Amino acid sequence: LVESDKKAVDFCTAGQNILVVPQNSEFLSSNVERGSILAPVKHSCSSSDCFEAEISTFDLDNPILFGSEVLIYIHGMELVVKISKLYSSKSALNPQDVGKNLPRMINSNSIAIIELKCSTPIPSDTFESVNQLGIFLLRSRGTTIATGRVLKIK
């Protein structure tokens, strides 16, 4: 049973606050927490602890380095992730910039392809498949440093 505004509903949409009342005793409410995704089995969502992403950085106090740990905010969850690979980087301000493959760091106002490694698997999907599940923010030291989209689940 799914309720919205104290009324039973047949469906709900992204961002809608709902109350899920399990009717199966095998379903424990302790298994559902903030950031969980409920979906029919035939449309299940993948879960992974590693994914490739494209990020757009903002004005940074320090460049983003390989091995850095940052906070990821992805569909209501907040987790520490490690930047495990830097694939490419180019300037977001200069469209003619060819960019660099395997850069040592990512500077301010850049578009980069990176790999993120989480300590625990998180439900997600590629931006191309389900854009609401494939977008995220990266934060460090209380500042938002980048926005991103999931390109590939590993």
Side-chain angles (χ1 to χ4, degrees):
L1 176 65
V2 178
E3 293 182 2
S4 177
D5 296 327
K6 299 183 182 181
K7 295 177 189 169
V9 294
D10 294 328
F11 66 93
C12 52
T13 58
Q16 188 174 5
N17 290 319
I18 60 168
L19 173 66
V20 178
V21 181
Q23 296 182 344
N24 184 340
S25 61
E26 293 177 23
F27 182 86
L28 300 174
S29 61
S30 62
N31 291 336
V32 179
E33 56 189 37
R34 185 181 184 109
S36 293
I37 297 171
L38 302 176
V41 174
K42 64 181 180 178
H43 297 226
S44 62
C45 177
S46 60
S47 182
S48 178
D49 65 350
C50 186
F51 55 92
E52 187 176 305
E54 178 185 72
I55 62 169
S56 296
T57 61
F58 302 127
D59 289 328
L60 304 173
D61 292 335
N62 297 305
I64 299 172
L65 304 173
F66 163 79
S68 298
E69 289 190 345
V70 295
L71 287 175
I72 188 170
Y73 290 84
I74 185 165
H75 54 79
M77 296 176 70
E78 174 185 338
L79 296 165
V80 175
V81 295
K82 183 177 184 176
I83 298 173
S84 54
K85 290 186 182 172
L86 303 176
Y87 292 113
S88 65
S89 176
K90 65 179 184 176
S91 172
L93 302 177
N94 182 1
Q96 274 70 34
D97 183 19
V98 175
K100 296 179 185 176
N101 287 327
L102 303 174
R104 294 181 183 217
M105 67 182 105
I106 300 168
N107 293 311
S108 295
N109 303 309
S110 295
I111 297 171
I113 307 295
I114 63 172
E115 182 180 271
L116 295 169
K117 185 91 169 138
C118 311
S119 58
T120 182
I122 56 174
S124 59
D125 210 333
T126 62
F127 180 81
E128 188 175 283
S129 296
V130 183
N131 60 3
Q132 294 91 342
L133 298 180
I135 57 173
F136 60 88
L137 290 174
L138 295 179
R139 291 181 56 87
S140 180
R141 297 184 190 117
T143 304
T144 302
I145 59 172
T147 184
R149 59 189 185 128
V150 177
L151 299 176
K152 199 184 300 182
I153 306 289
K154 296 193 170 192

